[in-house]
Amino acid sequence: MSLATFSPATLLGADTDNKVKFGLIGCGGRGQWIAKLFQKHGGYRCVAVADYFQDRAGQAGKDLDVAAERQFSGLSGYKKLLQQAIDAVVIISPPYFHPEHAAAAVAAGKHVYCAKPIAVDVPGCQSIAESGRLATAAKHCFLVDFQTRAMPDYQEAVKRVHDGMIGKIALAEATYHCGNTFDGPNETLKKDPKNPELLMRAWGLDKVLSGDIITEQNIHALDVAAWVLNAEPVKAIGTCGQVRGFAGTCHDHFAVIFYYPNDVICSFNSKQFGHGYDDILCRVFGTNGTLDTHYGGKVTIRSSDDGFQRQFPEHLRGRRG
């Protein structure tokens, strides 16, 4: 999960410690995990942090060894972060803020690594697309955190499908099944459901801030389907519900039919409650075979011509975004 395929020297020129200096916007659990992952596996150093909540910015600063004068909080904290001597920005804020944060980072001339989902509505998605175009024009990196697209086994399998290994595609299915998520934020929000600051801490339970689970989490499975089908859906029909009784406005299960070009249909369903079954998968059915992929499991193609089977690397299992 690198910011780029460029070397630090290419990105920075003559830098004294030869590391990409980045700022972290969004200092929750995943934000800190991602920042530490950068520092552990690449030539990167976190030198500034920003979060709406001062306690989170302070804790992240302590854990990431960021000086107190480069720990920022409040809604405008990210603006102060962008004024620092940094080369890149890691955006792990609630999805509602991604378009604003990404546009400001690109305008400030920074490389961008942005968590999924890119936005919670169409205007936000269009804004991110424009930020990506502007970053590319400036020869800066703009990477969205879809981990699966960076996996060599997935890349090889999708290439084989695109090369015709399973024949003409007619049907696909995608699912995202897991148990309760956001248990901790739910307990926080239940104390005072109308408290706006508690809602910010429990943003994953609010449709406006998160886009609902079909956007905030299920997008992983839907993105793989769109990648394999190499197209965007033209329409969708679906339904959703809420049975787990959590606070907030999000649903916890969905069932949708997506219609793709050339009469290709993709059925999708998801749940975020219960026990006993946990998988993120995409299956694509062609006239000559089937692709079967699992996040944290095997990637398999079965066709009349050949077979392909790989295992998802162990070190990337278990921590979802």
Side-chain angles (χ1 to χ4, degrees):
M1 297 196 302
S2 169
L3 273 170
T5 56
F6 306 133
S7 68
T10 300
L11 290 172
L12 305 179
D15 182 74
T16 54
D17 62 9
N18 202 34
K19 287 187 176 182
V20 176
K21 296 181 177 63
F22 71 88
L24 172 66
I25 301 176
C27 301
R30 183 167 179 83
Q32 286 203 52
W33 182 75
I34 287 286
K36 292 174 182 177
L37 198 63
F38 271 109
Q39 296 193 144
K40 179 179 179 181
H41 293 288
Y44 312 104
R45 183 157 63 90
C46 185
V47 299
V49 297
D51 194 278
Y52 176 78
F53 296 102
Q54 190 281 327
D55 62 306
R56 286 184 174 174
Q59 186 62 52
K62 178 181 177 181
D63 293 344
L64 297 168
D65 195 25
V66 174
E69 62 269 22
R70 293 194 295 273
Q71 301 171 14
F72 307 106
S73 59
L75 284 175
S76 298
Y78 76 95
K79 296 179 181 179
K80 297 177 182 178
L81 178 144
L82 292 174
Q83 296 171 358
Q84 307 305 302
I86 57 176
D87 311 289
V89 177
V90 176
I91 300 172
I92 317 291
S93 52
Y96 176 87
F97 299 101
H98 289 176
E100 178 181 349
H101 292 165
V106 170
K110 313 302 182 185
H111 302 278
V112 174
Y113 178 94
C114 184
K116 47 49 61 195
I118 57 174
V120 299
D121 54 23
V122 172
C125 291
Q126 292 173 333
S127 174
I128 289 286
E130 178 62 16
S131 292
R133 284 190 289 267
L134 292 173
T136 299
K139 297 184 179 180
H140 286 151
C141 303
F142 193 105
L143 181 64
V144 176
D145 182 14
F146 281 126
Q147 307 100 316
T148 307
R149 289 197 181 227
M151 297 307 304
D153 295 342
Y154 272 85
Q155 292 171 348
E156 176 64 23
V158 173
K159 178 181 182 299
R160 293 188 183 208
V161 171
H162 289 172
D163 287 344
M165 184 175 177
I166 67 172
K168 182 180 179 180
I169 295 173
L171 182 67
E173 68 170 314
T175 67
Y176 193 121
H177 295 153
C178 66
N180 285 347
T181 306
F182 301 116
D183 283 317
N186 177 54
E187 293 303 313
T188 296
L189 188 58
K190 283 193 330 185
K191 298 174 183 177
D192 187 358
K194 295 184 179 181
N195 184 313
E197 291 215 338
L198 290 185
L199 192 63
M200 279 286 286
R201 290 187 183 275
W203 60 265
L205 299 175
D206 182 73
K207 285 194 293 185
V208 173
L209 293 174
S210 71
D212 215 332
I213 68 164
I214 193 170
T215 301
E216 203 284 317
Q217 289 197 325
N218 300 166
I219 193 63
H220 277 303
L222 294 170
D223 178 65
V224 172
W227 179 24
V228 178
L229 297 178
N230 200 26
E232 298 176 357
V234 296
K235 65 177 180 178
I237 300 174
T239 188
C240 57
Q242 225 277 23
V243 297
R244 66 187 176 186
F246 274 19
T249 57
C250 286
H251 300 90
D252 54 35
H253 60 282
F254 286 81
V256 185
I257 301 294
F258 290 91
Y259 296 85
Y260 280 81
N262 302 315
D263 297 321
V264 176
I265 299 171
C266 178
S267 62
F268 167 78
N269 69 80
S270 71
K271 75 170 184 72
Q272 201 174 75
F273 58 82
H275 299 277
Y277 187 79
D278 189 342
D279 198 6
I280 306 171
L281 68 84
C282 178
R283 292 191 180 103
V284 178
F285 304 91
T287 55
N288 196 42
T290 302
L291 168 70
D292 182 29
T293 72
H294 299 263
Y295 187 107
K298 293 181 179 179
V299 180
T300 305
I301 296 177
R302 295 174 182 168
S303 76
S304 60
D305 299 327
D306 195 4
F308 173 84
Q309 180 170 301
R310 298 286 178 84
Q311 187 79 25
F312 202 95
E314 184 71 30
H315 73 280
L316 288 178
R317 299 183 196 176
R319 184 74 190 222
R320 294 179 183 145

